[in-house]
Structures are given as structure tokens and as C-alpha cells.
Amino acid sequence: MKNFKFFVIILNFMVLLSFDSTFAQNPIIRNQFSADPTARVFEGKVYVYPSHDIPARPGKGRAGWFVMEDYHVFSSENLTDWTDHGVIVSQNKVDWVDSTSYSMWAPDCMYRNGKYYFYFPASAKQKGMRGGIGVAVSDKPYGPFKPESKPIAGIGGIDPNIFVDKDGQAYIITAMGGFSIAKLKDNMLEIVDKPKALEGFPSKGLREGPFMFERNGIYYMTYPHVQNKTEQLEYAVSNNPMGPFKVTGVIMDERQECWTNHHSIINYKNQWYLFYHYNDLSPLFDKNRSVRIDSLFFNEDGTIKKVTQSFRGVGITDATKEIQIDRYSLKSDKGTSIAFLSADTTKRFDGWKTIFDGANSWIQYNSVSFKDKLKSVNVRAQSNTGGTLQVRLDKVDGPVISSLKILKGKDWNVVHAPVSKYKAGNHNLIVQLKSGSNVEVDWVSFK
Ligand code: FUB
């Protein structure tokens, strides 16, 4: 008990120290790797509970495989400014978990009767017990969470997903080959009956990542499935959370570079969003992943429109922030490319740059909010040849609001130029190369 009180004090301190280190665009988390995002709307904000991939180190985790020691939680009110609330649960602080296993896989979190219940799969330290689903309980969505001393009895598998129906009944769904479902007791810590296999899903290529939600009386079971080579996101529907389900469509196509895809779907302020992951910050190793968000839309008949993954992501970016135009909405076919800022692979979290090296090459970043009376634009740039950039609004042939001369040189500099009159409001931002044959841009910001 004494130890727990000390733990709570430390966690509270960490909560106070929480910081903004995340971004508006995809990937949204750039101070660490993150995967398997379960998004939930709590207290009027979006909370994301992802897995936390880390690179294996000697004696810590299996090289070439998933390595996860703990969980962080992130929150945002505008889906643009994200706060990292720090570690909420660690393999080193849960009684029953093997602290040498580094297998804290995909989690979920649910609110019930004034408490937040965080569910996570992990390997057990007890011999003969393979693993289980743990629960940690908190008064707040960001912790501190107190882990239960034992995993949930009578349930196995990975990737717990909690669904609460309109009648208040909570269910826990887990994956192990197929999916199984069990009703949770009101205490959210025990199951009512033995888990039941969910029916109607593909018999091959189904391993993990179930996520259930309900809309207009339709129960959607969404899940990753290997139809071809890597996981694509699919969904099946039913009129009952216990099934049977009918496979109905694909939400996101497979991607060759990242074998896994794991997701969640929420409605926030009347818009649906798909949270998923990709290996943006680790292109050569797909087990160090990063969380992304894109908007999701339904057809009139309740079927889901396919989501194309984007760099731009969601939300409106404030013009006075450092706008990472390399997370673009559109770009010219020729002469514009994206690269990591540093060739040093240990500096991936520094992010990306846009390289303009073709006449009139351009990039477009949508949905930037311009307050009235912004006077100048700052661009962090570097150029091997010297060149001129034009800043336009709305579309490629939209009004030019600024022109910047970038001097030839090896160093990165912040270059300023005045901004001409514009209409306050949301605009797409376009940056175009007007002279020179090499200009590189880190970010653009208005003052
Ligand atoms: O993150 C480890 C595992 O990879 C998850 O549990 C799966 O869903 C897959 O994303």
C-alpha cells in the first residue's frame, strides 16, 4: 500500500510534467514510436492509448521483433495540439507481468461508473501461465492508473477491445487466431460467462486488432486481415454485438512497407476519424511504428468509404505555428520531394524537409487558420543554388501573399518576408519554387 501511494505521487508528478511534443499532421506522435492506437472521447477531449514500440537493446527485448515496455497516453481537444501525459502503466510495475517480456501489446481504455479502466495484454511471470489481459484503474483518463494484481480470470488472447452497448452492457473482445467475446460484469474486472467465438470472419489471415463500435443500430466489427501480403483494415456488420457478422468491406488497403495495421474509430464533434499506424519514422523496420489519423466517412446505406492514408492528417493548423509543409495535401508531380531532415538514422524524430528542385515545383498544405493582420512569413530553409519561393493561398494559381529570397549556402536559416493583405480565415497554403534549382524547406510560419 505504502509503495502504491509513492507510485501514485510519482505518477501525479509525471502528469504535471506532461508536455506537448506532438504534431498536427501524420504521424501525430513524434517524440517516440507509437502503434495500435485506441482513441476514446473522455471529458470532451480525445485520448489516445497506443502501444509504445522501442528498439531492442542488449538484454532488453528480442531484436527484430516488437519490443514494448510501457504505455503513454496522449490527449487533444483540437486533434492538432497533442499532450503526452507520460507513462501510465509499465511492465516493471504490474505484479503478475514478466518484466523481461517487453510484450505490452495493443491496449484499450473505457469509462464506467466514475472510473477509467485500462486494459492491456502482457506475458505473465508465473510459469505455465502464458499471458493474460490486465486492467489498471484510475479516476482520470490520464492516470494515475493502479494495476490490478492479477489478469482477468478466464480470458486469453491479445489486443483487448472494450465495447459498451446502448443498454450499458460492456463486452471484452480479444484476438487469438479469430476473435472471441465475453460480457463484462459491472465491475469491469470479471467476465460473466466463458468467451464465445465470434462468427462470420475470414478463416485465414486473421490474427489481431478487433475494434467494435455501433452506429444507427449497426454493430461494426473492424479488424486487420491479411488478404494478400500485409494487413488491410476490413469490417463486418451485425445487428448484435455477439454476432454472427457479415464481412462487408475494406476500410484501408494494405501497405507494403508496414506489415501490421491496427486501428480504432471514433466520432468526435460530429466527424468520424480513423486512428491507425504506419512506420513513417522507421522506414526500414516496420516494428517501430507511428500513430496517424485520417477522417472517415459513411455512405448513406451505412457502409464505410475507403480511407486513403495521408500525410496531412486532420485538424486545422494555426498559421503562427511551425507548419510542416512536408506533411502535404498535394504536390507537383515533378520537382518536389520529401526526405528526412538528417541523413543520420538516429535523428529520425527531427522529422522531414521538402526539397524543391524543378522549375515551378510546388507543395500544398490544406486547412491553415489565418488570423487577421499577420504581417510576415518565416521560412526555415537552405539552398545549394540560391532561389526564390512564392507563398500563395488556396490553390496553385491562387493569390501570391509573399515572396522570399533564399541565399545560397550550406546552413539552414530562418528567412523573413512581409505578407501582403489576405482575408482572415482558413486557407490552403502553397509554396512554390520560382527561381533557382534547389531550395529545401523545413517549416513555414506566420507572425
Ligand atoms: O503491437 C503488437 C501487435 O502488432 C499488436 O498487438 C497487433 O495488433 C499488431 O499491431
Side-chain angles (χ1 to χ4, degrees):
M1 190 62 190
K2 216 163 140 201
N3 277 352
F4 177 64
K5 272 192 184 145
F6 178 68
F7 178 53
V8 168
I9 291 167
I10 297 289
L11 276 175
N12 271 319
F13 182 64
M14 284 163 67
V15 166
L16 285 176
L17 281 184
S18 63
F19 50 96
D20 290 319
S21 53
T22 48
F23 287 79
Q25 317 88 3
N26 287 330
I28 60 162
I29 298 168
R30 306 226 198 131
N31 63 341
Q32 60 194 258
F33 297 115
S34 56
D36 309 327
T38 299
R40 296 285 176 199
V41 181
F42 294 140
E43 300 183 337
K45 283 188 190 179
V46 175
Y47 282 84
V48 178
Y49 300 87
S51 306
H52 180 194
D53 290 342
I54 52 173
R57 287 160 291 156
K60 299 196 166 182
R62 177 175 144 198
W65 190 236
F66 302 105
V67 181
M68 290 112 134
E69 181 171 8
D70 57 29
Y71 299 99
H72 287 231
V73 58
F74 301 82
S75 71
S76 174
E77 209 163 338
N78 57 9
L79 302 181
T80 294
D81 302 305
W82 288 89
T83 299
D84 176 358
H85 295 275
V87 174
I88 51 167
V89 170
S90 156
Q91 67 174 7
N92 307 314
K93 305 242 168 67
V94 184
D95 292 349
W96 62 271
V97 170
D98 173 1
S99 58
T100 63
S101 60
Y102 294 86
S103 58
M104 313 288 278
W105 285 20
D108 196 353
C109 190
M110 188 51 72
Y111 172 79
R112 179 93 174 181
N113 297 335
K115 301 264 182 218
Y116 293 85
Y117 295 85
F118 179 76
Y119 297 81
F120 56 95
S123 300
K125 59 167 83 136
Q126 195 185 316
K127 280 209 173 92
M129 187 175 155
R130 285 174 60 205
I133 307 294
V135 193
V137 188
S138 171
D139 293 331
K140 286 285 170 192
Y142 47 82
F145 281 91
K146 182 186 178 196
E148 291 292 301
S149 58
K150 289 188 181 144
I152 301 179
I155 200 163
I158 57 164
D159 298 359
N161 166 233
I162 309 301
F163 171 70
V164 179
D165 205 355
K166 288 173 289 184
D167 62 4
Q169 177 62 56
Y171 298 83
I172 182 163
I173 300 144
T174 55
M176 204 161 42
F179 303 136
S180 60
I181 188 164
K183 285 185 178 169
L184 277 168
K185 289 189 184 168
D186 206 38
N187 65 12
M188 299 295 271
L189 304 172
E190 293 169 283
I191 54 173
V192 176
D193 288 318
K194 271 172 105 182
K196 166 184 174 296
L198 280 173
E199 283 164 20
F201 295 94
S203 54
K204 281 192 188 149
L206 200 70
R207 293 192 184 183
E208 51 198 9
F211 185 87
M212 188 185 285
F213 67 96
E214 182 269 344
R215 178 181 179 269
N216 296 340
I218 301 175
Y219 295 87
Y220 294 82
M221 173 60 100
T222 63
Y223 55 90
H225 172 232
V226 183
Q227 175 67 35
N228 185 23
K229 285 194 171 142
T230 67
E231 290 181 335
Q232 63 181 18
L233 297 180
E234 294 178 9
Y235 71 104
V237 298
S238 176
N239 57 10
N240 190 315
M242 306 286 275
F245 281 84
K246 182 174 182 301
V247 173
T248 304
V250 174
I251 303 172
M252 180 173 278
D253 286 329
E254 67 170 3
R255 299 88 39 97
Q256 299 306 328
E257 303 80 3
C258 188
W259 195 91
T260 62
N261 199 355
H262 184 120
H263 70 297
S264 57
I265 292 171
I266 57 164
N267 185 297
Y268 182 58
K269 298 186 177 168
N270 295 322
Q271 172 63 53
W272 289 88
Y273 295 99
L274 174 72
F275 289 69
Y276 62 101
H277 69 224
Y278 189 60
N279 56 329
D280 295 86
L281 290 163
S282 172
L284 301 178
F285 180 54
D286 73 350
K287 286 162 190 70
N288 282 172
R289 300 154 294 176
S290 292
V291 169
R292 289 169 157 232
I293 319 175
D294 275 299
S295 300
L296 177 135
F297 299 91
F298 289 84
N299 294 305
E300 294 254 312
D301 63 359
T303 52
I304 299 176
K305 293 190 181 179
K306 227 186 227 184
V307 178
T308 306
Q309 59 174 1
S310 83
F311 290 129
R312 174 61 187 86
V314 301
I316 293 168
T317 303
D318 191 318
T320 61
K321 295 257 164 103
E322 289 176 5
I323 306 165
Q324 308 288 331
I325 55 170
D326 47 76
R327 307 293 87 195
Y328 61 90
S329 309
L330 291 168
K331 70 177 181 63
S332 52
D333 291 341
K334 289 188 184 151
T336 308
S337 57
I338 308 299
F340 280 108
L341 266 172
S342 170
D344 180 344
T345 53
T346 64
K347 294 192 173 160
R348 292 298 193 226
F349 294 126
D350 288 356
W352 296 266
K353 61 185 175 184
T354 305
I355 304 168
F356 298 100
D357 57 11
N360 293 316
S361 52
W362 56 270
I363 204 155
Q364 177 171 324
Y365 180 102
N366 288 354
S367 302
V368 179
S369 158
F370 286 80
K371 287 189 297 250
D372 220 0
K373 299 197 182 108
L374 293 170
K375 296 272 182 301
S376 63
V377 60
N378 287 343
V379 176
R380 184 166 188 264
Q382 183 265 328
S383 174
N384 296 332
T385 60
T388 313
L389 292 176
Q390 273 185 351
V391 179
R392 295 169 181 264
L393 292 187
D394 302 328
K395 47 192 180 148
V396 185
D397 56 358
V400 177
I401 58 162
S402 193
S403 194
L404 299 112
K405 206 164 177 48
I406 316 296
L407 297 178
K408 179 176 170 177
K410 291 218 166 337
D411 295 332
W412 285 87
N413 289 304
V414 177
V415 181
H416 318 258
V419 164
S420 56
K421 244 182 145 189
Y422 60 89
K423 209 168 150 220
N426 293 343
H427 294 280
N428 299 334
L429 176 70
I430 293 97
V431 177
Q432 186 166 34
L433 184 68
K434 275 296 162 186
S435 74
S437 54
N438 167 272
V439 175
E440 305 193 352
V441 173
D442 182 5
W443 49 256
V444 176
S445 183
F446 294 83
K447 267 216 295 218

mmCIF file of all heavy atoms in Angstrom, residues 207-240:
data_model
loop_
_atom_site.group_PDB
_atom_site.id
_atom_site.type_symbol
_atom_site.label_atom_id
_atom_site.label_comp_id
_atom_site.label_asym_id
_atom_site.label_seq_id
_atom_site.Cartn_x
_atom_site.Cartn_y
_atom_site.Cartn_z
ATOM 1 N N ARG A 207 -5.624 -12.314 -37.216
ATOM 2 C CA ARG A 207 -4.820 -12.582 -36.028
ATOM 3 C C ARG A 207 -5.095 -11.662 -34.872
ATOM 4 O O ARG A 207 -4.859 -12.001 -33.733
ATOM 5 C CB ARG A 207 -3.339 -12.335 -36.354
ATOM 6 C CG ARG A 207 -2.770 -13.275 -37.298
ATOM 7 C CD ARG A 207 -1.278 -13.100 -37.282
ATOM 8 N NE ARG A 207 -0.712 -13.964 -38.280
ATOM 9 C CZ ARG A 207 0.548 -14.098 -38.500
ATOM 10 N NH1 ARG A 207 1.413 -13.424 -37.783
ATOM 11 N NH2 ARG A 207 0.983 -14.899 -39.428
ATOM 12 N N GLU A 208 -5.469 -10.401 -35.167
ATOM 13 C CA GLU A 208 -5.348 -9.398 -34.102
ATOM 14 C C GLU A 208 -6.218 -8.181 -34.380
ATOM 15 O O GLU A 208 -6.883 -8.085 -35.405
ATOM 16 C CB GLU A 208 -3.885 -8.956 -34.033
ATOM 17 C CG GLU A 208 -3.330 -8.539 -35.396
ATOM 18 C CD GLU A 208 -1.825 -8.505 -35.465
ATOM 19 O OE1 GLU A 208 -1.165 -8.958 -34.525
ATOM 20 O OE2 GLU A 208 -1.294 -8.008 -36.476
ATOM 21 N N GLY A 209 -6.185 -7.246 -33.415
ATOM 22 C CA GLY A 209 -6.681 -5.895 -33.615
ATOM 23 C C GLY A 209 -8.169 -5.678 -33.778
ATOM 24 O O GLY A 209 -8.564 -4.783 -34.538
ATOM 25 N N PRO A 210 -9.084 -6.429 -33.078
ATOM 26 C CA PRO A 210 -10.516 -6.144 -33.263
ATOM 27 C C PRO A 210 -10.896 -4.796 -32.650
ATOM 28 O O PRO A 210 -10.376 -4.413 -31.603
ATOM 29 C CB PRO A 210 -11.199 -7.280 -32.490
ATOM 30 C CG PRO A 210 -10.222 -7.645 -31.417
ATOM 31 C CD PRO A 210 -8.856 -7.441 -32.021
ATOM 32 N N PHE A 211 -11.810 -4.099 -33.302
ATOM 33 C CA PHE A 211 -12.356 -2.858 -32.721
ATOM 34 C C PHE A 211 -13.826 -2.763 -33.113
ATOM 35 O O PHE A 211 -14.166 -2.656 -34.288
ATOM 36 C CB PHE A 211 -11.596 -1.615 -33.198
ATOM 37 C CG PHE A 211 -12.090 -0.370 -32.513
ATOM 38 C CD1 PHE A 211 -11.569 0.026 -31.288
ATOM 39 C CD2 PHE A 211 -13.122 0.396 -33.070
ATOM 40 C CE1 PHE A 211 -12.054 1.142 -30.618
ATOM 41 C CE2 PHE A 211 -13.614 1.514 -32.408
ATOM 42 C CZ PHE A 211 -13.081 1.887 -31.186
ATOM 43 N N MET A 212 -14.708 -2.784 -32.093
ATOM 44 C CA MET A 212 -16.149 -2.744 -32.352
ATOM 45 C C MET A 212 -16.730 -1.372 -32.003
ATOM 46 O O MET A 212 -16.321 -0.755 -31.014
ATOM 47 C CB MET A 212 -16.861 -3.812 -31.513
ATOM 48 C CG MET A 212 -18.328 -3.951 -31.875
ATOM 49 S SD MET A 212 -19.195 -5.108 -30.797
ATOM 50 C CE MET A 212 -18.614 -6.647 -31.413
ATOM 51 N N PHE A 213 -17.678 -0.913 -32.835
ATOM 52 C CA PHE A 213 -18.456 0.280 -32.487
ATOM 53 C C PHE A 213 -19.856 0.113 -33.075
ATOM 54 O O PHE A 213 -20.095 -0.780 -33.900
ATOM 55 C CB PHE A 213 -17.782 1.576 -32.963
ATOM 56 C CG PHE A 213 -17.726 1.744 -34.462
ATOM 57 C CD1 PHE A 213 -18.683 2.484 -35.136
ATOM 58 C CD2 PHE A 213 -16.714 1.154 -35.206
ATOM 59 C CE1 PHE A 213 -18.642 2.646 -36.524
ATOM 60 C CE2 PHE A 213 -16.661 1.291 -36.592
ATOM 61 C CZ PHE A 213 -17.624 2.044 -37.241
ATOM 62 N N GLU A 214 -20.755 0.977 -32.623
ATOM 63 C CA GLU A 214 -22.144 0.889 -33.088
ATOM 64 C C GLU A 214 -22.549 2.231 -33.699
ATOM 65 O O GLU A 214 -22.152 3.290 -33.205
ATOM 66 C CB GLU A 214 -23.045 0.549 -31.886
ATOM 67 C CG GLU A 214 -24.513 0.364 -32.206
ATOM 68 C CD GLU A 214 -25.345 1.650 -32.092
ATOM 69 O OE1 GLU A 214 -24.865 2.625 -31.486
ATOM 70 O OE2 GLU A 214 -26.452 1.685 -32.640
ATOM 71 N N ARG A 215 -23.294 2.183 -34.788
ATOM 72 C CA ARG A 215 -23.813 3.408 -35.413
ATOM 73 C C ARG A 215 -25.162 3.079 -36.025
ATOM 74 O O ARG A 215 -25.260 2.126 -36.805
ATOM 75 C CB ARG A 215 -22.841 3.908 -36.486
ATOM 76 C CG ARG A 215 -23.302 5.156 -37.227
ATOM 77 C CD ARG A 215 -22.260 5.522 -38.288
ATOM 78 N NE ARG A 215 -22.630 6.672 -39.059
ATOM 79 C CZ ARG A 215 -23.322 6.615 -40.209
ATOM 80 N NH1 ARG A 215 -23.730 5.464 -40.699
ATOM 81 N NH2 ARG A 215 -23.623 7.731 -40.859
ATOM 82 N N ASN A 216 -26.156 3.845 -35.664
ATOM 83 C CA ASN A 216 -27.524 3.665 -36.191
ATOM 84 C C ASN A 216 -27.998 2.215 -36.107
ATOM 85 O O ASN A 216 -28.557 1.671 -37.077
ATOM 86 C CB ASN A 216 -27.607 4.135 -37.654
ATOM 87 C CG ASN A 216 -27.334 5.624 -37.779
ATOM 88 O OD1 ASN A 216 -27.455 6.361 -36.794
ATOM 89 N ND2 ASN A 216 -26.950 6.061 -38.968
ATOM 90 N N GLY A 217 -27.722 1.558 -34.998
ATOM 91 C CA GLY A 217 -28.213 0.189 -34.801
ATOM 92 C C GLY A 217 -27.381 -0.877 -35.490
ATOM 93 O O GLY A 217 -27.673 -2.071 -35.372
ATOM 94 N N ILE A 218 -26.338 -0.464 -36.233
ATOM 95 C CA ILE A 218 -25.464 -1.459 -36.880
ATOM 96 C C ILE A 218 -24.218 -1.626 -36.015
ATOM 97 O O ILE A 218 -23.597 -0.635 -35.607
ATOM 98 C CB ILE A 218 -25.047 -1.001 -38.305
ATOM 99 C CG1 ILE A 218 -26.286 -0.778 -39.181
ATOM 100 C CG2 ILE A 218 -24.080 -1.988 -38.943
ATOM 101 C CD1 ILE A 218 -25.957 -0.216 -40.566
ATOM 102 N N TYR A 219 -23.874 -2.879 -35.719
ATOM 103 C CA TYR A 219 -22.642 -3.168 -34.971
ATOM 104 C C TYR A 219 -21.542 -3.429 -35.994
ATOM 105 O O TYR A 219 -21.688 -4.332 -36.842
ATOM 106 C CB TYR A 219 -22.844 -4.366 -34.041
ATOM 107 C CG TYR A 219 -23.862 -4.040 -32.970
ATOM 108 C CD1 TYR A 219 -25.227 -4.228 -33.200
ATOM 109 C CD2 TYR A 219 -23.464 -3.487 -31.758
ATOM 110 C CE1 TYR A 219 -26.163 -3.883 -32.231
ATOM 111 C CE2 TYR A 219 -24.398 -3.148 -30.786
ATOM 112 C CZ TYR A 219 -25.743 -3.343 -31.034
ATOM 113 O OH TYR A 219 -26.667 -3.001 -30.084
ATOM 114 N N TYR A 220 -20.509 -2.613 -35.934
ATOM 115 C CA TYR A 220 -19.375 -2.751 -36.859
ATOM 116 C C TYR A 220 -18.228 -3.419 -36.123
ATOM 117 O O TYR A 220 -17.760 -2.911 -35.112
ATOM 118 C CB TYR A 220 -18.884 -1.379 -37.337
ATOM 119 C CG TYR A 220 -19.872 -0.626 -38.192
ATOM 120 C CD1 TYR A 220 -20.905 0.111 -37.605
ATOM 121 C CD2 TYR A 220 -19.769 -0.629 -39.578
ATOM 122 C CE1 TYR A 220 -21.809 0.807 -38.388
ATOM 123 C CE2 TYR A 220 -20.668 0.072 -40.371
ATOM 124 C CZ TYR A 220 -21.694 0.790 -39.770
ATOM 125 O OH TYR A 220 -22.589 1.482 -40.535
ATOM 126 N N MET A 221 -17.775 -4.548 -36.635
ATOM 127 C CA MET A 221 -16.545 -5.139 -36.122
ATOM 128 C C MET A 221 -15.469 -4.847 -37.162
ATOM 129 O O MET A 221 -15.573 -5.281 -38.315
ATOM 130 C CB MET A 221 -16.716 -6.647 -35.932
ATOM 131 C CG MET A 221 -15.417 -7.312 -35.573
ATOM 132 S SD MET A 221 -14.749 -6.647 -34.054
ATOM 133 C CE MET A 221 -15.263 -7.915 -32.974
ATOM 134 N N THR A 222 -14.490 -4.065 -36.782
ATOM 135 C CA THR A 222 -13.436 -3.665 -37.711
ATOM 136 C C THR A 222 -12.146 -4.358 -37.271
ATOM 137 O O THR A 222 -11.926 -4.563 -36.079
ATOM 138 C CB THR A 222 -13.289 -2.132 -37.733
ATOM 139 O OG1 THR A 222 -12.894 -1.677 -36.435
ATOM 140 C CG2 THR A 222 -14.598 -1.456 -38.084
ATOM 141 N N TYR A 223 -11.301 -4.727 -38.233
ATOM 142 C CA TYR A 223 -10.163 -5.595 -37.888
ATOM 143 C C TYR A 223 -9.140 -5.606 -39.032
ATOM 144 O O TYR A 223 -9.484 -5.397 -40.187
ATOM 145 C CB TYR A 223 -10.675 -7.029 -37.636
ATOM 146 C CG TYR A 223 -11.471 -7.564 -38.805
ATOM 147 C CD1 TYR A 223 -10.855 -8.257 -39.839
ATOM 148 C CD2 TYR A 223 -12.838 -7.310 -38.910
ATOM 149 C CE1 TYR A 223 -11.575 -8.689 -40.941
ATOM 150 C CE2 TYR A 223 -13.565 -7.736 -40.003
ATOM 151 C CZ TYR A 223 -12.928 -8.432 -41.018
ATOM 152 O OH TYR A 223 -13.638 -8.848 -42.106
ATOM 153 N N PRO A 224 -7.863 -5.881 -38.693
ATOM 154 C CA PRO A 224 -6.862 -6.077 -39.745
ATOM 155 C C PRO A 224 -6.959 -7.510 -40.277
ATOM 156 O O PRO A 224 -7.209 -8.432 -39.503
ATOM 157 C CB PRO A 224 -5.521 -5.872 -39.020
ATOM 158 C CG PRO A 224 -5.843 -5.561 -37.595
ATOM 159 C CD PRO A 224 -7.269 -5.912 -37.347
ATOM 160 N N HIS A 225 -6.747 -7.676 -41.564
ATOM 161 C CA HIS A 225 -6.818 -9.009 -42.166
ATOM 162 C C HIS A 225 -5.813 -9.090 -43.311
ATOM 163 O O HIS A 225 -5.724 -8.174 -44.130
ATOM 164 C CB HIS A 225 -8.248 -9.251 -42.701
ATOM 165 C CG HIS A 225 -8.361 -10.507 -43.489
ATOM 166 N ND1 HIS A 225 -8.909 -10.553 -44.747
ATOM 167 C CD2 HIS A 225 -7.990 -11.777 -43.199
ATOM 168 C CE1 HIS A 225 -8.873 -11.790 -45.194
ATOM 169 N NE2 HIS A 225 -8.320 -12.551 -44.267
ATOM 170 N N VAL A 226 -5.056 -10.187 -43.339
ATOM 171 C CA VAL A 226 -4.104 -10.375 -44.444
ATOM 172 C C VAL A 226 -4.837 -11.094 -45.572
ATOM 173 O O VAL A 226 -5.067 -12.299 -45.520
ATOM 174 C CB VAL A 226 -2.870 -11.190 -43.995
ATOM 175 C CG1 VAL A 226 -1.868 -11.297 -45.148
ATOM 176 C CG2 VAL A 226 -2.216 -10.548 -42.792
ATOM 177 N N GLN A 227 -5.204 -10.331 -46.570
ATOM 178 C CA GLN A 227 -5.883 -10.891 -47.734
ATOM 179 C C GLN A 227 -4.838 -11.289 -48.766
ATOM 180 O O GLN A 227 -4.974 -12.268 -49.480
ATOM 181 C CB GLN A 227 -6.823 -9.816 -48.314
ATOM 182 C CG GLN A 227 -7.528 -10.156 -49.605
ATOM 183 C CD GLN A 227 -8.526 -11.290 -49.399
ATOM 184 O OE1 GLN A 227 -9.153 -11.398 -48.347
ATOM 185 N NE2 GLN A 227 -8.648 -12.163 -50.391
ATOM 186 N N ASN A 228 -3.758 -10.479 -48.770
ATOM 187 C CA ASN A 228 -2.721 -10.693 -49.773
ATOM 188 C C ASN A 228 -1.387 -10.900 -49.067
ATOM 189 O O ASN A 228 -1.061 -11.989 -48.639
ATOM 190 C CB ASN A 228 -2.740 -9.478 -50.709
ATOM 191 C CG ASN A 228 -1.804 -9.622 -51.870
ATOM 192 O OD1 ASN A 228 -1.454 -10.725 -52.243
ATOM 193 N ND2 ASN A 228 -1.366 -8.494 -52.418
ATOM 194 N N LYS A 229 -0.633 -9.761 -48.820
ATOM 195 C CA LYS A 229 0.692 -9.919 -48.196
ATOM 196 C C LYS A 229 0.784 -9.296 -46.812
ATOM 197 O O LYS A 229 1.509 -9.762 -45.947
ATOM 198 C CB LYS A 229 1.739 -9.246 -49.084
ATOM 199 C CG LYS A 229 2.077 -10.013 -50.318
ATOM 200 C CD LYS A 229 3.335 -9.469 -50.942
ATOM 201 C CE LYS A 229 3.785 -10.365 -52.055
ATOM 202 N NZ LYS A 229 4.317 -9.605 -53.177
ATOM 203 N N THR A 230 0.126 -8.160 -46.629
ATOM 204 C CA THR A 230 0.198 -7.455 -45.344
ATOM 205 C C THR A 230 -1.238 -7.149 -44.888
ATOM 206 O O THR A 230 -2.190 -7.420 -45.627
ATOM 207 C CB THR A 230 0.993 -6.131 -45.472
ATOM 208 O OG1 THR A 230 0.249 -5.244 -46.301
ATOM 209 C CG2 THR A 230 2.384 -6.342 -46.057
ATOM 210 N N GLU A 231 -1.363 -6.569 -43.704
ATOM 211 C CA GLU A 231 -2.714 -6.367 -43.166
ATOM 212 C C GLU A 231 -3.447 -5.195 -43.842
ATOM 213 O O GLU A 231 -2.907 -4.094 -43.956
ATOM 214 C CB GLU A 231 -2.646 -6.115 -41.662
ATOM 215 C CG GLU A 231 -2.253 -7.377 -40.900
ATOM 216 C CD GLU A 231 -2.195 -7.181 -39.391
ATOM 217 O OE1 GLU A 231 -1.994 -6.041 -38.942
ATOM 218 O OE2 GLU A 231 -2.343 -8.172 -38.671
ATOM 219 N N GLN A 232 -4.676 -5.449 -44.247
ATOM 220 C CA GLN A 232 -5.566 -4.365 -44.664
ATOM 221 C C GLN A 232 -6.636 -4.254 -43.581
ATOM 222 O O GLN A 232 -6.896 -5.210 -42.850
ATOM 223 C CB GLN A 232 -6.190 -4.633 -46.027
ATOM 224 C CG GLN A 232 -7.091 -5.857 -46.096
ATOM 225 C CD GLN A 232 -7.673 -6.082 -47.497
ATOM 226 O OE1 GLN A 232 -7.163 -5.543 -48.471
ATOM 227 N NE2 GLN A 232 -8.738 -6.853 -47.589
ATOM 228 N N LEU A 233 -7.259 -3.092 -43.467
ATOM 229 C CA LEU A 233 -8.309 -2.924 -42.468
ATOM 230 C C LEU A 233 -9.661 -3.233 -43.118
ATOM 231 O O LEU A 233 -9.990 -2.658 -44.163
ATOM 232 C CB LEU A 233 -8.306 -1.502 -41.899
ATOM 233 C CG LEU A 233 -7.036 -1.101 -41.149
ATOM 234 C CD1 LEU A 233 -7.130 0.344 -40.629
ATOM 235 C CD2 LEU A 233 -6.767 -2.044 -39.975
ATOM 236 N N GLU A 234 -10.393 -4.141 -42.499
ATOM 237 C CA GLU A 234 -11.696 -4.547 -43.047
ATOM 238 C C GLU A 234 -12.779 -4.361 -41.991
ATOM 239 O O GLU A 234 -12.476 -4.102 -40.827
ATOM 240 C CB GLU A 234 -11.673 -6.040 -43.404
ATOM 241 C CG GLU A 234 -10.743 -6.381 -44.523
ATOM 242 C CD GLU A 234 -10.717 -7.881 -44.814
ATOM 243 O OE1 GLU A 234 -11.547 -8.626 -44.247
ATOM 244 O OE2 GLU A 234 -9.872 -8.296 -45.608
ATOM 245 N N TYR A 235 -14.022 -4.541 -42.398
ATOM 246 C CA TYR A 235 -15.092 -4.521 -41.405
ATOM 247 C C TYR A 235 -16.196 -5.512 -41.757
ATOM 248 O O TYR A 235 -16.378 -5.884 -42.921
ATOM 249 C CB TYR A 235 -15.657 -3.119 -41.201
ATOM 250 C CG TYR A 235 -16.482 -2.572 -42.350
ATOM 251 C CD1 TYR A 235 -17.866 -2.524 -42.280
ATOM 252 C CD2 TYR A 235 -15.858 -2.091 -43.500
ATOM 253 C CE1 TYR A 235 -18.629 -2.009 -43.323
ATOM 254 C CE2 TYR A 235 -16.608 -1.585 -44.543
ATOM 255 C CZ TYR A 235 -17.980 -1.542 -44.458
ATOM 256 O OH TYR A 235 -18.718 -1.045 -45.493
ATOM 257 N N ALA A 236 -16.875 -5.927 -40.695
ATOM 258 C CA ALA A 236 -18.020 -6.818 -40.834
ATOM 259 C C ALA A 236 -19.138 -6.207 -40.002
ATOM 260 O O ALA A 236 -18.875 -5.453 -39.063
ATOM 261 C CB ALA A 236 -17.654 -8.202 -40.310
ATOM 262 N N VAL A 237 -20.390 -6.520 -40.350
ATOM 263 C CA VAL A 237 -21.507 -5.911 -39.620
ATOM 264 C C VAL A 237 -22.454 -6.975 -39.079
ATOM 265 O O VAL A 237 -22.509 -8.104 -39.569
ATOM 266 C CB VAL A 237 -22.310 -4.912 -40.497
ATOM 267 C CG1 VAL A 237 -21.438 -3.753 -40.949
ATOM 268 C CG2 VAL A 237 -22.937 -5.603 -41.688
ATOM 269 N N SER A 238 -23.209 -6.560 -38.051
ATOM 270 C CA SER A 238 -24.195 -7.454 -37.442
ATOM 271 C C SER A 238 -25.268 -6.589 -36.782
ATOM 272 O O SER A 238 -25.077 -5.382 -36.581
ATOM 273 C CB SER A 238 -23.505 -8.327 -36.390
ATOM 274 O OG SER A 238 -24.451 -9.144 -35.724
ATOM 275 N N ASN A 239 -26.371 -7.241 -36.400
ATOM 276 C CA ASN A 239 -27.369 -6.492 -35.615
ATOM 277 C C ASN A 239 -27.266 -6.857 -34.132
ATOM 278 O O ASN A 239 -28.134 -6.521 -33.346
ATOM 279 C CB ASN A 239 -28.791 -6.726 -36.136
ATOM 280 C CG ASN A 239 -29.132 -8.207 -36.131
ATOM 281 O OD1 ASN A 239 -28.385 -9.006 -35.570
ATOM 282 N ND2 ASN A 239 -30.236 -8.564 -36.764
ATOM 283 N N ASN A 240 -26.159 -7.554 -33.799
ATOM 284 C CA ASN A 240 -25.952 -7.969 -32.410
ATOM 285 C C ASN A 240 -24.448 -7.998 -32.139
ATOM 286 O O ASN A 240 -23.701 -8.558 -32.960
ATOM 287 C CB ASN A 240 -26.551 -9.380 -32.234
ATOM 288 C CG ASN A 240 -26.604 -9.787 -30.780
ATOM 289 O OD1 ASN A 240 -25.652 -9.609 -30.026
ATOM 290 N ND2 ASN A 240 -27.732 -10.338 -30.387
#
